[in-house]
Amino acid sequence: MVQLLNSRSNAENRIQRRAEGRRQEILRAAARVFRRRGFDAAGMREIAEEADLSPGNLYHYFKGKQEILYYCQDRALDTMLATLEQAATGETVSLRLTQVLTAHVRCILDDMEGAAAHLVVDAFPLELRRPIVAKRDRYETGVRKLVEEGEQSGEFSVQEPVIITRAILGALNWTAQWFDPDGRKNPGEVAEIIAAYLVRGLRGETRT
Amino acid sequence: MVQLLNSRSNAENRIQRRAEGRRQEILRAAARVFRRRGFDAAGMREIAEEADLSPGNLYHYFKGKQEILYYCQDRALDTMLATLEQAATGETVSLRLTQVLTAHVRCILDDMEGAAAHLVVDAFPLELRRPIVAKRDRYETGVRKLVEEGEQSGEFSVQEPVIITRAILGALNWTAQWFDPDGRKNPGEVAEIIAAYLVRGLRGETRT
DNA sequence: TGTAGAATTGAACAATGGTTCAATTATTAA
DNA sequence: TTAATAATTGAACCATTGTTCAATTCTACA
């Protein structure tokens, strides 16, 4: 009896794991297509081909195209939020913010879902859009808090943290548009260069 | 005889001016829709409605949707390139660059076509894509030259001008995604805050 | 007033895109 | 080996989209 339950339970777990693995594959494939084409021009047939299955099969795993993007973005934002938490304990705010910004760029350039994280979801139904926008806002708020902490600790001199934070995030997110994997710099290098520049701009004036 | 030529010439001019005016109206309307929806989700029927004419009528003035975006981007890039030229003569490189960056943001937030300037044209036919990409590159090169000049004049300390320039442009272009016309800051204010921040980051280290 | 050219329309066309679904195949457990 | 469940397929469906085009309307000129 206990064995029977275990047997069924193991089978369900295996089946779920297989389906979940398949879902991850699809998300990765979709993220590549979204990155290449943007959301609207990314076709389900192209995603299916990228994931090596048939178009109709996608619907066994996801309800539709918007849900696929939703999960891509959800994953990427989770990764970014985790970076924020890990950076909670650092020696200086500069250091912590640099870590966060570096990780952000790496997420975008290294992780497939990363580049899809900030695609526009305005036209999505509310139940998909709301949690994504909320997560984005949470992340942005976290970054802004760091900027403000640096202002309070005297490391930074910032008068408009909201706007500056968005400029920072813009610089980071835009890397998806121009980064060339075959270029002379790898994602990590690009990430560090940009993060250092952005953090430097937060420091006090150097009028000479 | 001379009068006849004048009369015809005047009529042609008037007709051309009318058609050109109409074209500008369409471009402005299209830019608004492109900005709202992105290129792929912007529909010709929606553009026609925004321009207050019928969908078929658009094709009297433009060959198609891609050509409409092409002209939007062409205009915006002309504006930006003009700013670059005007900034050729300034007291300091800092000042000149600040002017360029400020104008860039204003172009994006104030001019309708501005927000469409950097939409992706990868899928366009070559004869449309090439001149746009060339203009973008020209602009980017111009900005980078300013950054490098500041490095040479000692105003800036920059080791990777290509990457930094792209980060700068990313921060500027991204304003189209988050700027809220009903917000507390107008385009000019946002432009100045961001430009000042980005230029500040180019200055030498302030390690303390 | 008549004519020619410019401009406009709205229905239709062909292609495309997201999605459905019945049939089939694959997998798993007993 | 059989049966049940999971997964897959590919054709079809329906809606949408960019575009065409014949007919009509508008404008300007003689």
Side-chain angles (χ1 to χ4, degrees), chain A residues 24-207:
Chain A
Q24 301 309 322
E25 279 175 33
I26 293 169
L27 289 178
R28 276 194 292 271
R32 285 195 292 275
V33 180
F34 289 147
R35 177 189 195 138
R36 211 154 56 216
R37 305 311 218 77
F39 177 71
D40 290 310
M44 294 299 269
R45 289 171 177 86
E46 191 172 351
I47 292 171
E49 191 171 340
E50 185 86 19
D52 217 20
L53 40 73
S54 74
N57 201 192
L58 291 175
Y59 294 86
H60 178 78
Y61 296 95
F62 297 97
K63 286 204 201 95
K65 192 178 170 188
Q66 294 181 339
E67 191 178 275
I68 294 177
L69 180 62
Y70 166 84
Y71 280 109
C72 286
Q73 300 195 331
D74 199 48
R75 280 171 52 130
L77 287 164
D78 281 343
T79 303
M80 290 180 185
L81 283 166
T83 307
L84 221 31
E85 286 179 23
Q86 284 158 32
T89 57
E91 295 193 354
T92 64
V93 183
S94 281
L95 222 37
R96 290 160 58 199
L97 184 59
T98 303
Q99 277 172 18
V100 171
L101 303 188
T102 304
H104 184 117
V105 176
R106 301 203 64 153
C107 183
I108 285 177
L109 303 184
D110 275 331
D111 291 348
M112 285 298 114
E113 291 92 337
H118 291 87
L119 292 174
V120 177
V121 295
D122 285 354
F124 279 23
L126 210 52
E127 72 267 13
L128 289 184
R129 191 166 90 239
R130 181 171 283 166
I132 289 294
V133 170
K135 254 182 201 181
R136 284 188 191 167
D137 287 348
R138 244 174 53 237
Y139 181 71
E140 179 181 317
T141 300
V143 173
R144 198 179 80 235
K145 287 276 171 54
L146 276 180
V147 171
E148 286 168 346
E149 276 182 49
E151 162 82 14
Q152 279 162 21
S153 73
E155 289 177 63
F156 301 153
S157 169
V158 181
Q159 297 195 325
E160 293 286 346
V162 172
I163 291 175
I164 298 300
T165 300
R166 287 178 178 162
I168 290 173
L169 294 177
L172 304 179
N173 294 334
W174 198 259
T175 54
Q177 307 276 21
W178 59 262
F179 180 72
D180 175 9
D182 302 322
R184 293 170 38 247
K185 301 285 180 187
N186 67 46
E189 291 167 326
V190 169
E192 281 170 17
I193 292 164
I194 294 181
Y197 162 67
L198 294 172
V199 170
R200 190 167 67 168
L202 295 171
R203 294 197 179 117
E205 295 283 2
T206 61
R207 295 267 170 83

Side-chain angles (χ1 to χ4, degrees), chain B residues 192-208:
Chain B
E192 281 171 18
I193 291 164
I194 295 181
Y197 163 67
L198 294 173
V199 170
R200 190 168 66 170
L202 294 172
R203 292 195 181 115
E205 297 280 2
T206 60
R207 297 266 172 85
T208 56

Side-chain angles (χ1 to χ4, degrees), chain B residues 1-12:
Chain B
M1 185 64 173
V2 175
Q3 270 188 324
L4 183 64
L5 284 176
N6 265 352
S7 179
R8 283 225 188 102
S9 174
N10 283 340
E12 282 178 5

